[in-house]
Amino acid sequence: MTLGLPFDPAMAAPLAVFLGIVFATFVSEDLTCVAVGLLLGTGQVTWPVGLGGCFVGIVAGDFGVWAVGRTAGSGALRWRWTRRLLPAGRLAEVEGLLCRHGGRAAVVSRFLPGTRVPLFLAAGILGACWYRLLGWALVAALVWTPVLVVTVALLGDAVVGPLVRASRVGWVLLPAVVAAVFFGLRVLPKFGTPVGRAALAAGVSKLWRWEFWPAWAFYLPAVPWYAWLSVRYRGPTVWTAANPGIPAGGVVGESKADILARLPREWTVPTLLIPAGDTGPRVRSALAAVAERGWAYPLVLKPDAGQRGAGVKMCRDAAAVEKYLRANPDPVIAQPHHPGPFEAGVFYYRVPGEATGHIFSVTDKVFPVLVGDGRSTVEELIWAHPRYRMQAVTFLTRHANEATRVLAGGERFPLALAGNHCQGTLFRDGAHLVTPELERTIDAIARSFEGFHIGRFDVRFSSEEEFRAGRGFAVIELNGATSESTNLYDPSWPLWRAYRTLFAQLAILFRIGRENQRRGHRPTPLRDVLALVRAHYRDRVADPLAD
């Protein structure tokens, strides 16, 4: 069989043919291997040149992609938007995955078109365990190249014909093939270990444990309700007028320090705003202010415009404060750590014109704590716990240095300090904490803030009895219009009850916004709301993983 080429490769210098094959693989490895196999079958190329050229070209391509990522891509990690999308905690997680599964990923990517370039680019950028990835890529090429080239060389048209015909319908079978490969490589091996089985159980149970659904999935059924409220109250952003005393009602990016300064000092945790600025003077000024106030460590530091507990860190000494400020150039607030040990979210509202406000809900926050058995490591205890395994990645990333430590019998090991669901805290409905005395106190605090009508007070306290009596608590944050009545994440609730609470909260928010609009307060236009959201998430650099 001849290929009808306009030149005779046998007449060319072997080195030129070899290099031609190498460079051809940079365009298409598989097509080059098929073409070389046909040439080998007709004797137009020698075996060392043909097979060697394919192998060297494939390996050089893999190593070259990795080298591009290493030399040109590592600097991208210092870009502001890259640090926002891939903070230090997320990078550590990805590096850990590459170190644990890089070899297997390199082999699998050899058989899944379109996966090798992003894999090797990412490995080059991170530079993590590169020897394992490239070593297994070499092994995969040693297997793949001879199998493809020799099969085509020996069988010729008997192989090429079916390959051509299969290419016409391969797109139909590709999803099934990918699913089968994924199941075989990712799912089946997990059945062999307790940790693997726990991870599978956690993944499957997320289908019905809705408190762990992604925010977009949980809020999707609320879209028609939001649309109806927009029609009823004559505007999709009328709710931004609900809190005239907070920019845009508290959509996103509002200053926590400014809001706390509007509340009675005796009811808030002391708060220090640390503005953005040059790192050295900023650190010295912050430490001097802490010393001047006589605050004792530990301190809690967090972004002044944070969301969902992102960037909340416990700093136990001056060195930790300096490290935090160097990593977080945006405005930050510092607070003395309130010992608690209890924390709650009190969702409050007052309709304009009404004499008093109301507590819509109270969320009782339960912080995750491991209890040692004298045998199991921190990682094993996390995976063995029916709830903690649901957020095992968060916990193990946060406590990576402690994952292999065996806890003594009865030893308590806190997994999270930030009172946020996405950081690992359990939210329960705290209706048992609501009393007329507490409602009067919360209403008095809220009414002292002119222009505030709806939002959630996050508070800490040391005694439930005192809290129920409306005493002995301190406000650590006040969130505005987009805050949630977080008791809806109570895992004991049926899903319909959670949505009933969410829909009622949205209806109150729109109603208050409309009442304030009638009093002359203008809602924020939709384009400005979207600009605020984009600006906040574009400029945010805080690590989403909190302590």
Side-chain angles (χ1 to χ4, degrees):
M1 182 180 68
T2 61
L3 297 180
L5 298 176
F7 63 92
D8 184 2
M11 300 298 295
L15 180 59
V17 176
F18 178 86
L19 292 176
I21 294 172
V22 170
F23 285 112
T25 62
F26 299 161
V27 178
S28 174
E29 294 177 355
D30 292 346
L31 289 179
T32 300
C33 289
V34 170
V36 168
L38 292 173
L39 291 171
L40 288 169
T42 59
Q44 298 181 71
V45 171
T46 63
W47 282 92
V49 170
L51 195 57
C54 289
F55 173 74
V56 171
I58 289 174
V59 172
D62 290 345
F63 279 52
V65 172
W66 179 88
V68 168
R70 192 74 194 123
T71 57
S74 57
L77 295 178
R78 295 189 292 270
W79 297 347
R80 188 181 184 92
W81 69 270
T82 307
R83 286 185 292 145
R84 184 177 71 252
L85 293 176
L86 292 172
R90 186 67 56 81
L91 283 176
E93 179 182 344
V94 175
E95 289 177 357
L97 289 173
L98 280 175
C99 287
R100 293 193 300 270
H101 307 294
R104 183 163 49 185
V107 174
V108 172
S109 69
R110 169 54 53 192
F111 303 94
L112 290 179
T115 60
R116 286 203 324 284
V117 170
L119 173 64
F120 283 88
L121 273 178
I125 292 173
L126 295 174
C129 300
W130 59 271
Y131 50 88
R132 181 175 303 171
L133 182 82
L134 296 181
W136 279 105
L138 183 66
V139 172
L142 277 172
V143 174
W144 170 257
T145 308
V147 168
L148 180 58
V149 173
V150 173
T151 302
V152 174
L154 295 178
L155 300 181
D157 286 336
V159 171
V160 175
L163 284 175
V164 172
R165 291 190 294 272
S167 66
R168 298 169 185 164
V169 297
W171 62 271
V172 177
L173 301 177
L174 182 60
V177 172
V178 171
V181 171
F182 177 85
F183 185 82
L185 294 176
R186 294 293 305 275
V187 178
L188 285 180
K190 291 185 178 181
F191 283 100
T193 65
V195 169
R197 291 191 293 272
L200 284 175
V204 173
S205 65
K206 284 184 179 180
L207 294 174
W208 60 84
R209 297 183 71 168
W210 48 266
E211 62 167 315
F212 297 107
W213 289 356
W216 66 264
F218 179 76
Y219 274 89
L220 194 60
V223 172
W225 181 244
Y226 184 98
W228 161 244
L229 292 173
S230 299
V231 172
R232 179 181 179 184
Y233 292 103
R234 304 180 183 180
T237 63
V238 67
W239 54 271
T240 60
N243 292 320
I246 302 176
V251 174
V252 71
E254 63 273 12
S255 168
K256 297 180 185 296
D258 288 348
I259 291 175
L260 287 172
R262 305 283 294 276
L263 301 177
R265 184 171 299 180
E266 64 270 21
W267 289 108
T268 61
V269 172
T271 300
L272 168 67
L273 175 63
I274 305 173
D278 294 336
T279 301
R282 185 172 181 239
V283 171
R284 289 191 294 271
S285 175
L287 294 178
V290 168
E292 181 182 344
R293 286 164 170 77
W295 291 354
Y297 291 97
L299 301 177
V300 175
L301 270 67
K302 52 189 171 183
D304 187 40
Q307 294 284 325
R308 291 183 171 269
V312 177
K313 296 292 181 182
M314 181 84 75
C315 296
R316 302 185 182 279
D317 51 37
V321 172
E322 179 176 356
K323 180 180 178 181
Y324 183 90
L325 294 179
R326 290 186 181 279
N328 294 271
D330 293 332
V332 166
I333 62 173
Q335 297 174 324
H337 175 58
H338 190 291
F342 303 108
E343 186 170 325
V346 182
F347 198 92
Y348 165 90
Y349 73 95
R350 181 174 62 86
V351 177
E354 292 188 354
T356 59
H358 310 278
I359 291 179
F360 180 79
S361 69
V362 171
T363 300
D364 185 14
K365 302 182 181 183
V366 181
F367 294 93
V369 177
L370 290 176
V371 179
D373 59 9
R375 303 183 308 274
S376 304
T377 65
V378 168
E379 181 175 11
E380 290 169 342
L381 290 171
I382 290 172
W383 284 114
H385 196 283
R387 179 177 181 82
Y388 299 162
R389 69 175 60 154
M390 304 299 297
Q391 295 172 294
V393 173
T394 296
F395 294 140
L396 292 174
T397 303
R398 179 181 295 140
H399 301 291
N401 295 332
E402 302 273 8
T404 59
R405 183 163 75 87
V406 176
L407 300 184
E411 179 183 354
R412 296 176 65 82
F413 185 88
L415 290 173
L417 298 175
N420 300 86
H421 187 275
C422 62
Q423 304 295 343
T425 300
L426 167 66
F427 285 175
R428 298 189 304 195
D429 180 48
H432 64 285
L433 297 173
V434 180
T435 63
E437 292 81 10
L438 177 63
E439 189 167 61
R440 282 195 295 271
T441 302
I442 293 294
D443 184 45
I445 296 172
R447 291 172 68 86
S448 69
F449 184 169
E450 184 178 354
F452 172 74
H453 291 271
I454 185 170
R456 189 188 68 243
F457 294 87
D458 290 333
V459 303
R460 290 184 67 87
F461 52 97
S462 57
S463 166
E464 287 194 356
E465 289 73 22
E466 285 284 291
F467 181 61
R468 285 167 50 85
R471 303 188 300 266
F473 66 87
V475 178
I476 57 175
E477 279 189 24
L478 173 57
N479 301 279
T482 56
S483 58
E484 296 174 302
S485 175
T486 49
N487 64 327
L488 57 83
Y489 293 109
D490 189 326
S492 68
W493 280 17
L495 182 58
W496 63 264
R497 186 176 178 185
Y499 279 123
R500 185 180 68 179
T501 301
L502 175 62
F503 289 6
Q505 174 193 330
L506 288 173
I508 294 171
L509 177 64
F510 269 83
R511 179 188 173 192
I512 292 174
R514 179 59 175 162
E515 290 294 331
N516 277 330
Q517 185 184 34
R518 288 170 176 163
R519 285 164 168 77
H521 299 289
R522 297 182 59 186
T524 304
L526 180 59
R527 64 178 179 276
D528 293 344
V529 171
L530 296 177
L532 282 171
V533 174
R534 282 197 301 267
H536 174 76
Y537 288 102
R538 181 189 64 231
D539 299 335
R540 186 180 65 176
V541 297
D543 189 343
L545 187 66
D547 281 346

